């Protein structure tokens, strides 16, 4: 029998390749900082609300708008330029029958996707695809049209690549992507669905953390130029609602550890290092009971609403009102505001409400 | 694998170029074998990925007449899906045990495993040990008549499916996992690893590593079968394989027979090459059709082209000295029936095991008599919760599937085990009905549950519960802590009539070790 190579040559080449890889890994370990700098968006509520060009009913808060929430207390990732040049609404709420249109209008009202995504950016979009049980009409997973529209807008803004991912707690990701119909929609829009590998999480320091000081977070979400958070607003047994801040839990490796250490505090701690540049809350349909899994259409309310803001706390605070709750009812929201992650006081920010 | 070269064997006459015919068929055999083996592995590996077409992942069982016959015999029912094995029976009646040399994935691996070339005389053409496989076949049939399929784990397709699913693919997953971790650790290899993960994780490899009980035993059994090649090539096929025995019985009436014509120069080359060693130099190089696997090596390698395979009469082949006698056959049958009877008369406490959770529909079926132990359901289970049973008191349920919720839950969006089961031991229930099938009931261990015992909120079980209106309810209650402080806490309660026993609450329970919410079998039957 003829062999391609001799045994000795084969062993030698395997050893060389192994040494090379080990060397590269070593060099990298010496060089890279452990905690990446994440946020590039300035959290800056506009001093006064400016009516947007679209047919809107801009509701200007009675009191003069507050100064920006205390910029970066110790340990919270610094923000990045560019600041919006003209005064833009701090939060946009758009209602209308077409999920694509209201998503477009909401981002447009905030200054367009170009404010968040620059040409050549790597974008990661994190919807809520919590399991493979039901289609989007059951409101347990983010509306596929909302996600696909954001993918399109990112690509239009010049993104190099847009990846969409979640780590479902039940069922395989492929099946969950298919059942939620987010997979096909994203692919049609030109984005990529990614299976999150357990090997791609990194230990990250959480200097401002109170319950957790170090946790494993999905590496690519840390490395991405832009992270867009697209939760669906729905009922949740312990936190009352799962919204934007809670949705980021999908990017950590050990979720049971959050429960064991106090869910709300851990969610806030996570949000001090994982700072999405834009949060778009999908409230086209909301799940008002038996969440987060759902499965009963009686628990679904059609709201035809999308809420967008660079401030994750403000977006969550507004979303809570759709359930007849206040931000204080969803503890991580008010705790996040206290920690300086954003503002939960809806009377102090400029909100652009648009009806289509 | 190419046929072994003629050169280099002392005393072997060199073929004369003029008389040598082309033997296209025999040269195709390694390719057919490799194709069949690859198809087999791919089908097992893709069991999950095939989705609703996954009933074809059990193709080799449909072709396996032993699985079909024993499945129907023990299950006392007609299994139309397994009638495809009539193709194999037809093939065997035409050309003999060609299955063994051309299709059987285990036979292929045995061909590729180095083997002793000069076996001892005990393994000659008339070796009495050839009888063993017929004895095993009768034992398999006897226990099937008595209603147990445990001995089906000696079927080569069952052995191979178990080995690929529980040993080979998990080992491959470990290699992939190493590369994956190394690849993500280095920045420039990351773009290469991500596509591989997208392709392989959640498809042929699980998202998180699956563990299988009995993996070491399965691996050792398989390694042992390969190692028997050290005694004689294809020891398994000659002496042990019950499927080979069944096909051998059919081959006795095969149309195509091996013939040696008068031009034979008595060089003995064919007798040395024959993988099953059935060519008897002492009987003018005749062979037993029940042992011949129609590999055609003797025909291709004969220096004088004296060997041919031609259409012959349908007269059964002559009896051999190693055929089991009627007495041996009856004794074996009797022993296997009595043996199964003894198993039956010993108490099967495993059936009363409150943690014996069966896959949906498995409880309504008697798995011991309907499951052929192939393990495809374990392979396809996306959560790795289905495990091979290892009974403590009674062999009847050995390696039937049980759900171990702490290792994996029964996914609310999945009914793959029923879709893939070749014998319908796990019935193929439509997903919407499967979602209502009760496989167990969850009970909370309030002495360990975090809210109940520590007065802290937890709610993971309630969050995970997939039943639309939640079988686990949280009741906000004031409890006293150990220090005497009253606190408000959400206490989980199981609403028993809603619970389907899927076990995701037990799987996800954050309490370390044994979960604080556990699924128990819904009712105690038999025993």
């Amino acid at each position: 029998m003829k062999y391609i190579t001799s045994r000795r040559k084969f062993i030698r080449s395997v050893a060389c390749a192994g040494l090379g890889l080990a060397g590269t890994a070593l060099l990298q370990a010496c060089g890279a900082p452990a905690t990446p700098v994440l946020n590039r968006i300035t959290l800056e509520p506009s001093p006064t609300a400016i009516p947007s060009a679209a047919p809107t009913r801009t509701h200007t808060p009675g009191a003069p708008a507050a100064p920006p929430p205390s910029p970066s207390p110790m340990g919270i990732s610094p923000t990045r330029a560019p600041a919006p040049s003209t005064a833009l609404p701090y939060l946009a709420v758009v209602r209308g029958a077409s999920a694509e249109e209201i998503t477009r209008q909401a981002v447009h009202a905030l200054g367009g996707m170009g404010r968040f995504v620059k040409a050549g950016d790597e974008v990661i979009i994190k919807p809520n695809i919590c399991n493979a049980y039901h289609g989007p009409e059951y409101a347990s997973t983010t509306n596929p049209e909302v996600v696909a529209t954001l993918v399109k807008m990112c690509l239009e803004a010049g993104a190099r690549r847009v990846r969409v991912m979640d780590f479902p707690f039940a069922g395989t990701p492929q099946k969950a992507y298919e059942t939620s119909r987010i997979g096909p929609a994203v692919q049609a829009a030109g984005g990529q669905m990614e299976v999150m590998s357990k090997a791609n999480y990194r230990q990250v320091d959480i200097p401002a953390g109170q319950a957790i000081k170090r946790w494993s977070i999905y590496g690519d979400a840390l490395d991405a130029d832009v992270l867009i958070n697209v939760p669906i607003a729905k009922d949740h047994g312990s936190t009352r609602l799962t919204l934007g801040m809670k949705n980021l839990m999908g990017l950590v490796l050990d979720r049971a550890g959050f429960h064991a250490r106090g869910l709300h505090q851990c969610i806030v701690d996570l949000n001090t290092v994982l700072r999405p540049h834009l949060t778009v809350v999908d409230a086209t349909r909301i799940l008002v009971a038996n969440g987060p899994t759902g499965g009963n259409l009686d628990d679904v309310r059609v709201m035809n609403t999308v809420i967008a803001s660079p401030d994750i706390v403000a977006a969550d605070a507004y979303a809570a009102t759709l359930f007849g709750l206040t931000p204080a009812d969803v503890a991580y929201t008010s705790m996040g505001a206290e920690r300086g992650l954003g503002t939960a006081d809806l009377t102090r920010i400029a909100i652009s409400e648009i009806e289509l | 694998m190419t046929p072994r070269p003629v050169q280099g064997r002392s005393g072997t006459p060199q073929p004369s170029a003029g008389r040598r015919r082309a033997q296209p068929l025999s040269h195709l055999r390694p390719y057919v074998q490799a194709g069949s083996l690859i198809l087999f592995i791919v089908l097992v590996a893709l069991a999950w990925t095939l989705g609703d077409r996954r009933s074809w992942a059990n193709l080799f069982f449909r072709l396996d007449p032993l699985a079909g016959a024993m499945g129907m015999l023990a299950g006392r029912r007609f299994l139309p899906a397994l009638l495809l094995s009539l193709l194999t029976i037809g093939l065997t009646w035409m050309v003999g045990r060609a299955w063994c040399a051309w299709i059987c994935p285990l036979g292929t691996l045995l061909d590729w495993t180095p083997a002793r070339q000069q076996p001892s005389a005990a393994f000659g053409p008339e070796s009495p040990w050839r009888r063993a496989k017929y004895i095993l076949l009768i034992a398999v049939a006897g226990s099937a008549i008595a209603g147990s399929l445990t001995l089906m784990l000696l079927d080569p397709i069952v052995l191979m499916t178990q080995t690929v699913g529980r040993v080979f693919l998990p080992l491959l997953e470990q290699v992939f996992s190493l590369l994956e971790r190394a690849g993500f650790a280095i920045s420039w290899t990351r773009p290469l690893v991500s596509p591989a993960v997208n392709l392989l994780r959640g498809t042929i490899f699980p998202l998180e590593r699956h563990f299988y009980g009995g993996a070491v035993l399965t691996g050792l059994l398989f390694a042992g079968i390969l190692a028997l090649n050290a005694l004689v090539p294809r020891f398994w096929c000659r002496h042990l394989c019950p499927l080979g025995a069944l096909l051998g019985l059919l081959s006795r009436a095969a149309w195509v027979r091996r013939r040696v014509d008068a031009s034979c120069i008595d060089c003995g080359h064919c007798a040395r090459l024959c993988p099953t060693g059935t060519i008897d130099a002492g009987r003018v190089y005749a062979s037993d059709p029940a042992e011949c696997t129609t590999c055609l090596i003797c025909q291709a390698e004969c220096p004088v082209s004296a060997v041919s395979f031609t259409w012959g009469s349908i007269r059964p082949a002559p009896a051999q000295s190693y055929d089991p006698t009627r007495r041996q056959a009856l004794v074996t049958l009797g022993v296997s029936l009595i043996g199964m009877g003894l198993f039956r008369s010993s108490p099967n406490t495993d059936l009363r095991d409150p943690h014996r959770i069966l896959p949906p529909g498995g409880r309504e079926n008697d798995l011991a008599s309907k499951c052929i132990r192939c393990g495809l359901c374990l392979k396809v289970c996306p959560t790795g919760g289905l495990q091979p049973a290892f009974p403590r008191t009674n062999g009847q349920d050995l390696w039937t599937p049980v759900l171990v919720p702490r290792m994996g839950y029964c996914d609310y969006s999945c009914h793959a085990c029923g879709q893939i089961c070749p014998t319908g031991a796990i019935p193929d229930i439509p997903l919407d009905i499967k979602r209502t099938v009760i496989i167990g009931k969850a009970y909370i261990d309030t002495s360990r549950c975090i809210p109940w015992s520590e007065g802290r909120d937890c709610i993971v079980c309630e969050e995970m519960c997939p039943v639309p209106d939640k079988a686990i309810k949280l009741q906000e209650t004031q409890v006293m802590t150990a220090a005497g402080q009253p606190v408000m806490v959400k206490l989980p309660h199981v609403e028993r009539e809603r619970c389907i026993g899927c076990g995701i609450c037990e799987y996800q329970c954050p309490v370390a070790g044994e979960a604080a919410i556990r699924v128990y079998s819904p009712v105690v039957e038999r025993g």
Side-chain angles (χ1 to χ4, degrees):
Chain A
M1 203 184 243
K2 266 196 223 156
Y3 295 99
I4 311 163
T5 177
S6 76
R7 184 179 313 175
R8 174 170 303 187
K9 274 187 195 159
F10 176 75
I11 292 175
R12 195 182 294 159
S13 50
V14 167
C16 285
L19 277 177
L21 283 174
T24 323
L26 193 72
L27 282 178
Q28 279 218 316
C30 298
T35 313
V37 173
L38 276 176
N39 204 335
R40 300 190 299 182
I41 299 290
T42 311
L43 288 176
E44 198 175 339
S46 43
T48 47
I50 299 294
S52 88
T56 64
R57 278 188 292 116
T58 300
H59 114 88
T60 312
S70 54
S72 296
M74 188 227 22
I76 296 176
S77 301
T79 54
R80 77 160 186 185
S85 50
T86 54
L88 292 165
Y90 191 69
L91 183 135
V93 182
V94 186
R95 296 187 185 86
S98 158
E100 170 159 6
E101 270 314 299
I102 58 178
T103 308
R104 276 194 180 274
Q105 279 302 328
V107 178
H108 182 74
L110 294 176
M113 195 56 96
R115 180 180 158 196
F116 308 99
V117 177
K118 299 281 165 279
D121 273 357
E122 275 280 342
V123 180
I124 284 185
I125 297 181
K126 163 66 175 72
N128 187 331
I129 316 177
C130 62
N131 58 46
Y133 297 163
H134 309 290
E137 57 281 3
Y138 285 88
S140 63
T141 51
T142 306
N143 187 323
E145 273 185 76
V146 172
V147 182
T149 306
L150 290 170
V151 171
K152 276 185 229 160
M153 293 177 80
C154 290
L155 291 171
E156 285 158 13
R160 181 154 51 93
R161 182 165 67 143
V162 183
R163 286 178 291 165
V164 179
M165 61 190 74
D166 196 1
F167 198 107
F169 62 69
T172 60
Q174 286 90 346
K175 189 154 186 192
Y177 293 169
E178 197 188 308
T179 311
S180 67
R181 301 212 280 276
I182 289 175
V186 163
Q187 259 136 24
Q192 299 174 11
M193 295 307 294
E194 179 156 303
V195 174
M196 294 169 71
S197 166
K198 288 253 167 185
N200 197 15
Y201 286 77
R202 279 208 302 275
Q203 284 273 321
V204 174
D205 285 319
I206 306 176
Q210 293 181 4
I212 49 173
K213 286 288 181 191
R214 201 168 159 74
W215 213 255
S216 279
I217 299 177
Y218 192 66
D220 287 20
L222 296 165
D223 297 337
D225 297 314
V226 179
L227 176 63
I228 298 177
N229 185 21
V230 199
I232 177 168
K234 59 176 175 171
D235 172 75
H236 187 268
S238 79
T239 57
R240 190 60 193 84
L241 294 178
T242 165
L243 301 166
M245 288 174 71
K246 167 89 172 65
N247 189 42
L248 295 181
M249 240 178 110
L251 296 172
V252 305
L253 188 60
D254 174 14
R255 297 184 225 176
F258 270 32
H259 287 275
R261 286 166 181 78
L263 196 49
H264 290 282
Q265 194 62 264
C266 290
I267 289 172
V268 175
D269 288 351
L270 171 68
N271 272 269
T272 63
V273 288
L274 201 51
R275 312 275 285 134
H277 306 94
L278 172 65
T279 297
V280 179
V281 180
D282 161 34
T284 52
R285 302 181 193 89
I286 62 174
L287 183 66
V288 296
N290 296 313
T293 49
N296 189 343
L297 288 176
D298 295 340
D299 297 332
V300 177
R301 300 282 177 276
V302 176
M303 303 297 279
N304 290 329
T305 303
V306 157
I307 303 152
S309 175
D311 181 342
I312 191 168
V313 180
D316 284 3
Y318 192 96
T321 63
L322 299 180
F323 293 81
L325 301 172
T326 64
D329 293 325
V330 187
Y332 59 76
T333 310
S334 45
M335 288 161 73
E338 281 161 30
R339 268 303 182 98
L341 294 173
T343 177
D345 186 351
L346 296 173
T347 61
R348 305 204 318 168
I349 56 171
I351 300 173
S352 164
E353 296 200 46
I354 304 170
E355 296 275 352
L356 291 184
Chain B
M1 270 313 271
T2 48
R4 295 177 192 90
V6 176
Q7 276 78 13
R9 279 174 190 280
S10 56
T12 304
Q14 298 304 303
S16 54
R19 291 210 57 183
R20 179 116 188 184
R21 287 170 297 173
Q23 300 296 345
L25 259 182
S26 159
H27 290 284
L28 276 180
R29 192 175 71 98
Y31 301 102
V32 175
Q33 280 187 299
S36 171
L37 177 68
I38 291 168
L39 176 67
F40 178 84
I41 294 174
V42 164
L43 284 177
V44 176
L46 292 186
W48 170 257
T49 318
L50 285 172
D52 288 336
R53 285 172 309 235
R54 66 171 61 94
S55 61
W56 284 101
N58 62 34
L59 175 69
F60 278 78
F61 288 104
R62 297 187 186 207
L63 290 172
D64 174 352
L66 189 66
M70 298 306 147
M72 294 190 215
L73 203 54
R76 321 270 195 262
R77 56 184 182 166
F78 180 62
L79 299 168
L82 297 184
L83 285 188
L84 210 57
S85 61
L86 289 175
L87 280 179
T88 311
I89 292 174
L91 176 83
T92 309
W93 260 324
M94 300 250 278
V95 295
R97 267 174 80 180
W99 166 277
C100 307
W102 294 73
I103 298 168
C104 177
L106 182 56
T108 303
L109 287 181
L110 288 168
D111 264 357
W112 293 357
T113 309
R116 170 172 292 196
Q117 291 308 321
Q118 273 94 39
S120 81
F123 298 111
E126 303 231 36
S127 167
W129 296 105
R130 289 185 195 271
R131 182 178 296 137
K133 60 178 175 295
Y134 295 110
I135 301 288
L136 271 178
L137 173 65
I138 295 165
V140 172
S143 59
I145 291 168
S148 167
L149 285 173
T150 305
L151 288 180
M152 274 304 284
L153 60 90
L154 294 174
D155 176 275
I157 304 301
V158 170
L159 268 169
M160 278 297 291
T161 308
Q162 288 181 347
T163 306
V164 171
R166 256 180 253 171
V167 181
F168 174 70
L169 289 173
L171 285 176
L172 207 60
E173 191 273 344
Q174 291 188 32
V175 173
F176 178 70
S177 178
L178 275 177
L179 294 174
E180 190 184 10
R181 256 179 291 162
F184 278 124
I186 304 165
S187 61
W188 60 268
T189 51
R190 242 172 257 163
L192 306 173
V193 192
S194 281
V197 169
N198 278 332
L199 200 64
L200 299 175
R201 286 276 179 208
T203 53
I204 78 165
F205 298 135
L207 213 56
E208 293 172 62
R209 183 166 300 162
H210 287 175
F211 302 89
Y212 296 103
V216 174
L217 282 180
T218 307
L220 285 178
L221 181 64
F222 181 73
I225 286 169
L226 294 191
L228 287 172
N229 260 16
L231 293 173
V232 62
R234 280 187 177 246
F235 181 100
W236 164 263
C237 316
R238 298 182 188 201
H239 301 294
L240 295 174
C241 180
L243 176 59
L246 179 65
L247 296 177
L249 288 178
L250 297 170
S251 303
R252 285 162 186 247
W255 274 352
V256 171
R257 295 284 172 85
R258 178 175 168 276
R259 270 164 238 287
V260 183
D261 67 34
S263 61
C264 170
I265 53 170
D266 197 14
C267 69
H269 194 42
C270 55
R272 281 191 295 272
L273 288 179
C274 178
T276 56
T278 180
I279 301 176
D280 192 347
R283 289 191 298 169
V284 279
Y285 300 99
S287 55
D288 177 8
E291 297 291 314
C292 171
T293 59
T294 324
C295 67
L296 307 181
I297 289 177
C298 52
Q299 184 190 24
E301 293 298 321
C302 178
V304 293
S305 299
V307 178
S308 58
F309 284 82
T310 51
W311 296 96
S313 67
I314 50 169
R315 214 161 10 93
Q320 302 289 334
S321 61
Y322 45 78
D323 289 344
T325 62
R326 183 181 302 159
R327 174 170 298 182
Q328 285 167 334
L330 289 174
V331 166
T332 311
L333 193 64
V335 166
S336 61
L337 287 172
I338 292 167
M340 289 319 297
L342 280 178
F343 269 127
R344 291 256 155 129
S345 65
S346 67
N348 192 351
T349 56
D350 296 298
L351 293 181
R352 282 194 302 251
D353 181 352
H355 296 294
R356 186 171 179 265
I357 315 295
L358 300 185
R363 189 163 294 281
E364 291 71 28
N365 269 340
D366 176 23
L367 285 188
S369 67
K370 295 192 170 61
C371 165
I372 54 168
R373 319 299 200 256
C374 70
L376 275 173
C377 52
L378 315 180
K379 169 65 188 72
V380 82
C381 179
T383 71
L386 274 189
Q387 292 289 321
F390 198 80
R392 284 160 296 180
T393 56
N394 183 319
Q396 276 193 64
D397 291 292
L398 182 72
W399 284 352
T400 55
V402 285
L403 184 76
V404 181
R406 209 49 174 155
M407 299 183 78
Y409 52 94
C410 184
D411 182 13
Y412 195 64
S413 57
C414 169
H415 55 142
C417 51
Q419 288 177 314
I420 208 165
C421 180
T423 59
I426 306 175
D428 185 4
I429 309 172
L431 184 60
D432 51 336
I433 297 172
K434 180 254 161 187
R435 286 178 165 180
T436 63
V437 172
I438 292 159
I439 61 170
K441 292 285 177 187
Y443 292 81
I444 294 172
D445 180 351
T446 52
S447 66
R448 299 180 74 237
C449 172
I450 294 171
W452 282 93
S453 66
E454 296 176 32
R456 286 192 294 129
D457 279 339
C458 169
I459 69 91
V460 175
C461 51
E462 187 266 357
E463 177 183 16
M464 295 294 156
C465 181
V467 178
D469 293 312
K470 298 277 182 196
I472 297 173
K473 301 284 188 195
L474 300 173
Q475 307 295 351
E476 187 131 30
T477 315
Q478 182 178 320
V479 298
M480 293 299 256
T481 63
Q485 294 293 314
V487 288
M488 291 302 284
V489 64
K490 290 172 179 152
L491 296 179
H493 296 263
V494 178
E495 210 169 307
R496 209 75 66 205
E497 50 286 0
R498 286 223 177 101
C499 178
I500 54 172
C502 73
I504 193 169
C505 49
E506 178 172 345
Y507 177 71
Q508 298 275 11
C509 175
V511 172
E514 195 177 36
I517 182 166
R518 288 196 300 279
V519 177
Y520 291 80
S521 58
V523 281
V524 177
E525 5 86 289
R526 302 180 305 166

Short mmCIF file of all heavy atoms in Angstrom, two decimals, chain B residues 428-444:
data_model
loop_
_atom_site.label_atom_id
_atom_site.label_comp_id
_atom_site.label_asym_id
_atom_site.label_seq_id
_atom_site.Cartn_x
_atom_site.Cartn_y
_atom_site.Cartn_z
N ASP B 428 -44.94 6.94 16.67
CA ASP B 428 -44.77 8.22 15.98
C ASP B 428 -46.04 9.03 16.20
O ASP B 428 -47.02 8.90 15.48
CB ASP B 428 -44.51 7.97 14.49
CG ASP B 428 -44.21 9.26 13.75
OD1 ASP B 428 -44.13 10.32 14.41
OD2 ASP B 428 -44.05 9.21 12.52
N ILE B 429 -46.01 9.85 17.25
CA ILE B 429 -47.19 10.63 17.62
C ILE B 429 -47.04 12.04 17.05
O ILE B 429 -45.98 12.63 17.17
CB ILE B 429 -47.30 10.72 19.16
CG1 ILE B 429 -47.20 9.33 19.78
CG2 ILE B 429 -48.58 11.41 19.58
CD1 ILE B 429 -47.10 9.34 21.29
N PRO B 430 -48.08 12.58 16.39
CA PRO B 430 -47.96 13.96 15.90
C PRO B 430 -47.62 14.92 17.04
O PRO B 430 -48.04 14.70 18.19
CB PRO B 430 -49.35 14.25 15.32
CG PRO B 430 -49.98 12.92 15.12
CD PRO B 430 -49.37 11.97 16.09
N LEU B 431 -46.90 15.97 16.69
CA LEU B 431 -46.36 16.86 17.73
C LEU B 431 -47.45 17.42 18.64
O LEU B 431 -47.29 17.47 19.86
CB LEU B 431 -45.56 17.99 17.08
CG LEU B 431 -44.86 18.93 18.06
CD1 LEU B 431 -43.87 18.17 18.92
CD2 LEU B 431 -44.15 20.05 17.31
N ASP B 432 -48.58 17.84 18.06
CA ASP B 432 -49.59 18.49 18.91
C ASP B 432 -50.17 17.50 19.92
O ASP B 432 -50.55 17.88 21.02
CB ASP B 432 -50.68 19.16 18.06
CG ASP B 432 -51.26 18.21 17.03
OD1 ASP B 432 -50.56 17.25 16.67
OD2 ASP B 432 -52.40 18.42 16.59
N ILE B 433 -50.24 16.21 19.55
CA ILE B 433 -50.73 15.22 20.51
C ILE B 433 -49.63 14.85 21.50
O ILE B 433 -49.85 14.73 22.70
CB ILE B 433 -51.25 13.97 19.77
CG1 ILE B 433 -52.44 14.37 18.90
CG2 ILE B 433 -51.65 12.88 20.75
CD1 ILE B 433 -52.93 13.30 17.98
N LYS B 434 -48.40 14.72 20.97
CA LYS B 434 -47.28 14.39 21.85
C LYS B 434 -47.15 15.40 22.99
O LYS B 434 -46.75 15.05 24.10
CB LYS B 434 -46.00 14.32 21.02
CG LYS B 434 -44.75 13.98 21.80
CD LYS B 434 -43.88 15.19 22.01
CE LYS B 434 -42.91 15.01 23.14
NZ LYS B 434 -42.17 16.24 23.44
N ARG B 435 -47.50 16.64 22.71
CA ARG B 435 -47.39 17.67 23.74
C ARG B 435 -48.35 17.44 24.91
O ARG B 435 -48.22 18.08 25.94
CB ARG B 435 -47.67 19.05 23.12
CG ARG B 435 -46.53 19.54 22.27
CD ARG B 435 -46.83 20.86 21.62
NE ARG B 435 -45.57 21.44 21.12
CZ ARG B 435 -45.49 22.60 20.49
NH1 ARG B 435 -46.56 23.32 20.30
NH2 ARG B 435 -44.32 23.05 20.08
N THR B 436 -49.31 16.54 24.72
CA THR B 436 -50.25 16.28 25.80
C THR B 436 -50.01 14.92 26.45
O THR B 436 -50.70 14.56 27.39
CB THR B 436 -51.70 16.33 25.28
OG1 THR B 436 -51.84 15.27 24.31
CG2 THR B 436 -52.02 17.65 24.62
N VAL B 437 -49.05 14.15 25.91
CA VAL B 437 -48.81 12.81 26.47
C VAL B 437 -48.07 12.95 27.80
O VAL B 437 -47.05 13.63 27.90
CB VAL B 437 -47.97 11.96 25.48
CG1 VAL B 437 -47.56 10.65 26.14
CG2 VAL B 437 -48.75 11.69 24.22
N ILE B 438 -48.62 12.30 28.80
CA ILE B 438 -48.05 12.42 30.15
C ILE B 438 -47.00 11.34 30.35
O ILE B 438 -47.30 10.15 30.30
CB ILE B 438 -49.17 12.31 31.20
CG1 ILE B 438 -50.07 13.55 31.10
CG2 ILE B 438 -48.60 12.18 32.61
CD1 ILE B 438 -51.44 13.34 31.69
N ILE B 439 -45.75 11.74 30.50
CA ILE B 439 -44.69 10.76 30.71
C ILE B 439 -44.23 10.73 32.16
O ILE B 439 -43.47 9.86 32.55
CB ILE B 439 -43.48 11.00 29.77
CG1 ILE B 439 -42.85 12.37 30.03
CG2 ILE B 439 -43.89 10.89 28.32
CD1 ILE B 439 -41.52 12.53 29.29
N GLY B 440 -44.70 11.65 32.95
CA GLY B 440 -44.33 11.67 34.36
C GLY B 440 -45.03 12.82 35.05
O GLY B 440 -45.85 13.52 34.43
N LYS B 441 -44.73 12.99 36.31
CA LYS B 441 -45.31 14.10 37.07
C LYS B 441 -44.20 14.70 37.94
O LYS B 441 -43.44 13.97 38.57
CB LYS B 441 -46.45 13.61 37.97
CG LYS B 441 -47.69 13.15 37.22
CD LYS B 441 -48.50 14.32 36.67
CE LYS B 441 -49.70 13.81 35.87
NZ LYS B 441 -50.40 14.91 35.19
N ALA B 442 -44.17 16.02 37.99
CA ALA B 442 -43.10 16.69 38.76
C ALA B 442 -43.55 16.89 40.20
O ALA B 442 -44.72 17.18 40.47
CB ALA B 442 -42.78 18.03 38.11
N TYR B 443 -42.62 16.70 41.11
CA TYR B 443 -42.87 16.92 42.54
C TYR B 443 -41.75 17.81 43.08
O TYR B 443 -40.58 17.63 42.73
CB TYR B 443 -42.89 15.60 43.31
CG TYR B 443 -44.08 14.72 42.97
CD1 TYR B 443 -44.07 13.93 41.82
CD2 TYR B 443 -45.21 14.70 43.78
CE1 TYR B 443 -45.15 13.14 41.49
CE2 TYR B 443 -46.29 13.91 43.47
CZ TYR B 443 -46.27 13.13 42.31
OH TYR B 443 -47.34 12.36 41.99
N ILE B 444 -42.12 18.74 43.94
CA ILE B 444 -41.12 19.65 44.50
C ILE B 444 -40.62 19.11 45.83
O ILE B 444 -41.40 18.66 46.67
CB ILE B 444 -41.73 21.06 44.69
CG1 ILE B 444 -42.05 21.66 43.31
CG2 ILE B 444 -40.77 21.97 45.45
CD1 ILE B 444 -42.82 22.95 43.37
#
